Amino acid sequence: MQDAGSSQAGGDQKKSRYNLMDKAELETLTVAAIREHRRLLAADQAVYEEWIRASEDPTIASSVLETLQEEHFARQKRAAAQQDELSDMLDALGFVPEVPVDDDVS
C-alpha cells in the first residue's frame, strides 16, 4: 500500500512541474513529445512486423525470435512510460495541440 502512495506522489510532482510551466513553453514541449511518440510507435510497429514475419519462417532460429520478442516487449514498456509522461503534459496544458503529420512518419 505504501508503494502505491509513493508512486502517486511522484506522479503529482510531475504534474505540478508541468502545471508551473509557461503555457507556450509547455505547448512546445508537448508538441515535441507527440512527435517523439509518433516516431516510437512507427519504430515499434516495424519491430513487431519483423517479429511476426520471423515467427512464420521456420528457418529462423528460436534465439532470433526470442530477441525480437524481447525487443518488442521492451519497446512497449518504453512507449507506455512515454505515453504516461505525454498524458501528464496534456493534462497540464488542457488541450491537444495541432501537430502536423511528419513526412517520415505514416
Side-chain angles (χ1 to χ4, degrees):
M1 285 297 200
Q2 192 171 11
D3 290 338
S6 299
S7 66
Q8 181 64 31
D12 290 344
Q13 287 175 354
K14 258 194 289 186
K15 287 180 183 178
S16 55
R17 177 182 78 207
Y18 293 128
N19 286 332
L20 296 173
M21 289 180 76
D22 172 72
K23 288 293 183 183
E25 182 182 353
L26 180 56
E27 184 173 356
T28 299
L29 185 65
T30 302
V31 167
I34 290 169
R35 289 181 189 273
E36 175 67 7
H37 190 67
R38 288 176 180 173
R39 187 193 66 73
L40 286 174
L41 290 177
D44 295 351
Q45 184 65 30
V47 170
Y48 174 75
E49 288 171 4
E50 182 60 27
W51 174 38
I52 295 302
R53 255 192 310 277
S55 297
E56 296 169 350
D57 185 344
T59 65
I60 301 293
S62 63
S63 62
V64 172
L65 290 175
E66 186 176 318
T67 299
L68 287 168
Q69 182 181 29
E70 288 171 2
E71 177 67 17
H72 172 66
F73 291 147
R75 286 174 172 271
Q76 281 187 319
K77 283 179 73 172
R78 284 192 302 269
Q82 199 267 350
Q83 177 65 44
D84 287 344
E85 189 77 15
L86 178 56
S87 179
D88 290 344
M89 290 178 199
L90 291 168
D91 286 347
L93 188 59
F95 65 95
V96 178
E98 285 272 332
V99 183
V101 176
D102 295 337
D103 290 337
D104 61 332
V105 178
S106 335

